[in-house]
Amino acid sequence: MTPVVLAQAPADAISAPPIAYGAIAPVLIVLGGACLAVLTEAFLPRHQRWPVQVALSLVVLAAAGVTLGVYAGGSPAAVTTLGDALSVDNPTLFLWGTLLLLGLGSVLLIADRSVEPGGAFIPSSATRAAAAGGGGGTVTGGDGADVDRDYGEPGSAPTMQTEVFPFALFALGGMMVFVSANDLLTMFIALEVLSLPLYLMCGLARRRRLLSQEAAVKYFLLGAFASAFFLYGLALLYGYAGSVKLSAIAQAAAGSDRSDTLLFGGLALLVVGLLFKGSVGPFHTWTPDVYQGAPTPVTAFMAACTKVAAFGAISRVLFVAFDTTRWEWRGVLWAVAIVSMVIGAVLGLTQTDIKRMIAYSSIAHAGFLLLGSMSITEQGVSATLFYLLAYGFTTLAVFGVISLVRDSDGEALHLSQWAGLAKRSPLLAGVMTFLLLALAGIPLTSGFTAKFAVFAAALNDGMAPLVVIALVASAVAAFFYLRVIVLMYFNEPAPDGPTVTVPGAFTTAAITLGVLVTLLLGIVPSLALGMASGGPFSG
Amino acid sequence: MLLLVLLLVPLVGAALVAPIKEQTTAKWVAVAVSVVELALVVITWLAYSVPAARNGARFQLEFAVDWIPAFGTRFALGIDGFALVMLAITAVLVPIVMAFSWAEKLPEGRTQSGFYALILATEGLLVGVFAATDVFLFYVFFEAMLIPMYFLIGRFGGPRRQYAAVKFFLYSLLGGLIMLASVIGLFVVSGRELGQGTFTWVELQKMAASLPESTQIWLFLGFFVAFAIKAPLVPFHTWLPDAGAEAPVGAGVLLVGVLDKVGTFGFLRYCLPLFPLASQKLAPLVLTLAVIGILYGGLLAVGQTDMKRFVSYTSIAHFGFIALGIFAFSTQAFSGSVLYMVNHGVSTGMLFIVVGLVIARGGSRLVGDYGGVHKVAPLLAGAFLVAGLSSLALPGTNSFVSEFLVLLGSFPRQPVYTILATVGIIFAALYVLWMYQRTMQGPLRGSAVLAALGGGRGDGPGTMIDPAVAAERGATGFPDLSKREIGVLTPLIVLILVLGFFPGPVLDVINPTAAATMTEVGLTDPVGGVSR
């Protein structure tokens, strides 16, 4: 039989698709770097891993960024490559750049060991106590499993779990593929590649705080559900269009003699999966718990990068595949956006934990972002891209600042502990105030420019009522940002209040990066706006 | 360029003053900056050409660079007559406020340098608000202005400062965000009408005539709510008494004297010329609110037991007059309203300062804690009387001219509203004179006065002073005005009298712009001509 089969399938029937290596080099570098990081983890002795991993991650991100810069500098035309699996167009390049920069900031936060002895990822508080006592190997208390583990040379500070670096690189690589995926199958695989490391990263502090474990489990279970929804949607859409390519779905929908049930059923399920990742509206329930439970640097990474990836993908799917059917689905997304803004703004008011508060803020922001994603215009695309850039950096810096305010039990997350912080540390309070004003959308910050861009696009595309609702929601949300400012500036500090840790070079760099971008995008946004409006999604 | 310098001097000054550790140096530097700013405003006044304005130059001393081309926004500054007089009153009040606050007792842990820096920042942003000729730029300054004032109230204010500061911020922010909807709307509409979205005021004004009325009404409402909150017109006013009462006196003077005028200035600069049809259509609504404000503010001012809240409520009544003049649509009434804005800054500013001086001596804000102050501090009582008389628009004081102009200009088109508003003058006499009588005249009485003089304890009804505190304070005395305080009040008294007898120079600046605004609204004067 074998010769017959061979005869039926001549060797030249399957030809490898051409690959535009220049265009996808950044992704290849990041994923290759991630593989290298895994090897490093396997072959290097424990005490050498941290410096090597940090250096490797930073070099990989920088190299990917440079490659991207060189490629984008030639203002290339949009290409699809790898057999139309990836579409490298202007939004892709912009989102890649955003992701790489945010990833760089997050890796800096993750790498910092000065804020907490041994870093945020050493396995247990007992080890931390031991580190403070000067011994790495002598562990008292904690669960028995820790006792016989070796955390480095005796006498030296214990090393952190360095698995987090390859995780971060894999997640980042997944995100980059996610935003450039030109067909739903690639998108699904990218979704998994970015999600799985995130689930693990959430649980990395599990030996210190049970919350971390809870967050990881919750995120994983709900994330698995969302992936299943996505996959179902994909299947229905394949049944409808006979293809998983975004542009093929758009073509099929334009010549509409097929069953709309499949199309809209598929769209609904697909979008549920995507909205879950973007922590939008009624699909947000994981967000506060996971933000609260995950180690703060990981929260920063998730909040900034995942949001970018998810909304990049949502915008692409809506823009490329569902452009022609927009009048059918838009009503539903209106409702989703309203729900998201209202939930974020109103429930944010009642929070007492600062990380949960920022989580609800991110839900409200997701609602605003959805306005941009729904505007199927070039203006809408560029506004969404700009918003993602602005929001990502502000959030990154906010979590950087949060990680610095600590008391003897770790981070001081309860809002009451922030009282009178301005007296203890005016600089930190000033930075936090600026960032919160940016989240509230006060002029001269990136938050305002971004909101302006998105709302202008939405208004231009006939969504005036939604814009008004969004502005009212902004006003409500401003109240809880203001509450933190009031606490920091106008209240007397509690006698046993938290101290502000002097940040190490890495954290300082990450916060400075975030604050600078927030300020620059607020005052001179033209460059970024120009880059964002280089062209719409192409499929 | 001059306007750019005018904008930057206080802002840079604020950045310089804030980090100075030595408090006296900080105060001197701040005062020096504010005096330089005043000198620059004088230069601006001289550089502003009235004949050019008469000949149709809408803005002068213009400065513009591209800012965010994607949003069609430019960093464009320029002034007309309205903006110029508002800049002048701002620049005059700031050094006075600083001199007044020299020995202000701040809440524990607060520094003078911070206070003075915030005052300078407020001044800089106010200059931006008045000088912006790009709607986007205006909006940016309009919102940014909130932040230093928020900190001034919240960090340096009275016992309920947090509540007042948050209330102030949220009211203003809500108004601002509603206005943002209109700002964005204006951009989108201009994109459709002019082919390319723009924020340049002059371009938008050209578009105004062709804009459909329904669109105008929506956009107008967004701007109107923000300005009505800022100016406070009556249903939006409740933040002002709290903010005015809790703000430190210096910040309160700026808040009531200048910051609130941004609202009425906004009516004149943005609502009327950009949405003329909507302004006319909705004028009865605004006029009703204005008259309610005059009567309601006056009535509540009569009944206030807290002196700082009293000043706030008199302001609400005065803002009613200003709004009446603006929405009566005549050149005379426009000029009267703008002159009223200047005069109100002077006279209410002075009233606020005098009340602040009284409170600083007695340690209580309650009216009932004072009585017969004239016996121990005749100069202070005299200053109180001058400020009060100016506030009730006695002929010969500045406010008379403007109030008269407003009523005169409003009557031909809106006789009913004007007659109703005139009743407010009676309230004004009532609240001012009764307040003066209760606190300044008669025998020495009131727990605060007696405690300060060491003659008694605070034990009467309405006592605010804790007896223990009074005992600890001891007999501090109730001194009359010090030299510094006389120096603070003298320029204000001079201004009250000069503007009362010779309003001509200021009206000369205002009138051409009032005429231009009239043209932009598309109406002609009911009686015709600009009277002086």
Side-chain angles (χ1 to χ4, degrees), chain A residues 471 478-479 486 489 491 523 526, chain B residues 67 69 150 155 162 170 173 181:
Chain A
L471 287 168
F479 182 74
V486 168
Y489 277 92
N491 283 16
I523 296 173
S526 290
Chain B
W67 183 20
Y150 168 71
R155 277 175 78 74
Q162 275 193 31
L170 286 182
L173 188 72

Side-chain angles (χ1 to χ4, degrees), chain B residues 428-448:
Chain B
L430 180 61
Y431 59 67
V432 168
L433 295 178
W434 196 37
M435 175 64 71
Y436 181 73
Q437 186 203 353
R438 280 183 295 172
T439 55
M440 300 291 151
Q441 291 187 309
L444 278 176
R445 62 190 184 280
S447 51

Side-chain angles (χ1 to χ4, degrees), chain A residues 32-429:
Chain A
C35 296
L36 264 183
V38 172
L39 292 178
T40 309
E41 198 63 25
F43 290 110
L44 277 189
R46 186 179 287 274
H47 64 275
Q48 288 180 0
R49 286 182 202 159
W50 183 83
V52 175
Q53 290 284 21
V54 172
L56 179 65
S57 305
L58 295 179
V59 166
V60 163
L61 290 174
V66 168
T67 324
L68 179 67
V70 169
Y71 179 71
S75 43
V79 293
T80 56
T81 183
L82 284 172
D84 284 355
L86 294 187
S87 166
V88 185
D89 46 19
N90 184 65
T92 299
L93 294 175
F94 189 90
L95 288 168
W96 281 358
T98 309
L99 282 170
L100 286 173
L101 278 173
L102 289 173
L104 185 71
S106 309
V107 165
L108 287 175
L109 282 182
I110 291 171
D112 200 303
R113 294 193 294 183
S114 63
V115 171
E116 189 156 338
F121 301 96
I122 55 168
S124 77
S125 54
T127 318
R128 192 157 51 98
T138 55
V139 175
T140 53
D143 44 332
D146 284 346
V147 175
D148 54 5
R149 293 180 75 165
D150 174 22
Y151 294 109
E153 302 295 310
S156 69
T159 46
M160 64 196 275
Q161 283 179 327
T162 44
E163 294 94 327
V164 69
F165 294 103
F167 287 161
L169 286 179
F170 270 120
L172 206 59
M175 289 169 186
M176 290 170 73
V177 177
F178 195 51
V179 298
S180 62
N182 195 33
D183 66 52
L184 291 174
L185 214 50
T186 312
M187 199 173 263
F188 177 72
I189 291 167
L191 178 68
E192 293 305 301
V193 172
L194 80 89
S195 298
L196 291 174
L198 279 179
Y199 303 146
L200 291 170
M201 286 164 82
C202 284
L204 276 181
R206 72 186 193 288
R207 287 173 194 277
R208 175 132 21 102
R209 296 157 62 234
L210 264 181
L211 266 182
S212 177
Q213 182 134 347
E214 182 196 323
V217 172
K218 192 162 186 178
Y219 194 22
F220 172 66
L221 287 178
L222 290 176
F225 264 120
S227 295
F229 272 106
F230 186 95
L231 205 53
Y232 261 115
L234 194 165
L236 293 183
L237 286 172
Y238 180 72
Y240 174 76
S243 166
V244 289
K245 271 188 64 179
L246 296 177
S247 49
I249 294 172
Q251 277 166 13
S256 59
D257 53 343
R258 305 174 215 215
S259 153
D260 276 350
T261 320
L262 280 180
L263 176 67
F264 293 119
L267 171 65
L269 294 172
L270 190 75
V271 166
V272 166
L274 289 172
L275 293 180
F276 173 87
K277 275 290 158 213
S279 65
V280 184
F283 316 104
H284 68 283
T285 44
W286 60 276
T287 318
D289 293 335
V290 174
Y291 275 29
Q292 184 188 17
T296 303
V298 172
T299 313
F301 180 65
M302 281 198 310
C305 296
T306 313
K307 194 74 110 201
V308 174
F311 272 94
I314 291 174
S315 296
R316 178 181 295 279
V317 167
L318 293 180
F319 192 94
V320 179
F322 297 99
D323 176 16
T324 48
T325 44
R326 70 173 94 164
W327 300 112
E328 279 84 358
W329 51 257
R330 203 180 241 184
V332 181
L333 281 192
W334 270 54
V336 170
I338 292 173
V339 168
S340 190
M341 292 185 289
V342 170
I343 286 179
V346 174
L347 292 188
L349 292 176
T350 64
Q351 300 306 313
T352 52
D353 181 293
I354 191 147
K355 276 166 88 178
R356 290 183 80 86
M357 196 195 85
I358 301 294
Y360 278 102
S361 140
S362 91
I363 296 165
H365 279 280
F368 303 146
L369 272 163
L370 203 53
L371 258 69
S373 295
M374 271 193 280
S375 323
I376 309 289
T377 54
E378 260 189 62
Q379 200 190 357
V381 172
S382 68
T384 310
L385 296 180
F386 184 82
Y387 201 116
L388 287 170
L389 177 72
Y391 175 76
F393 277 101
T394 310
T395 310
L396 185 74
V398 164
F399 282 109
V401 171
I402 289 175
S403 73
L404 295 180
V405 182
R406 322 182 66 87
D407 61 10
S408 53
D409 298 332
E411 282 161 7
L413 295 175
H414 199 275
L415 274 181
S416 63
Q417 292 173 294
W418 284 59
L421 209 66
K423 198 166 269 178
R424 293 228 171 94
S425 176
L427 181 66
L428 180 117

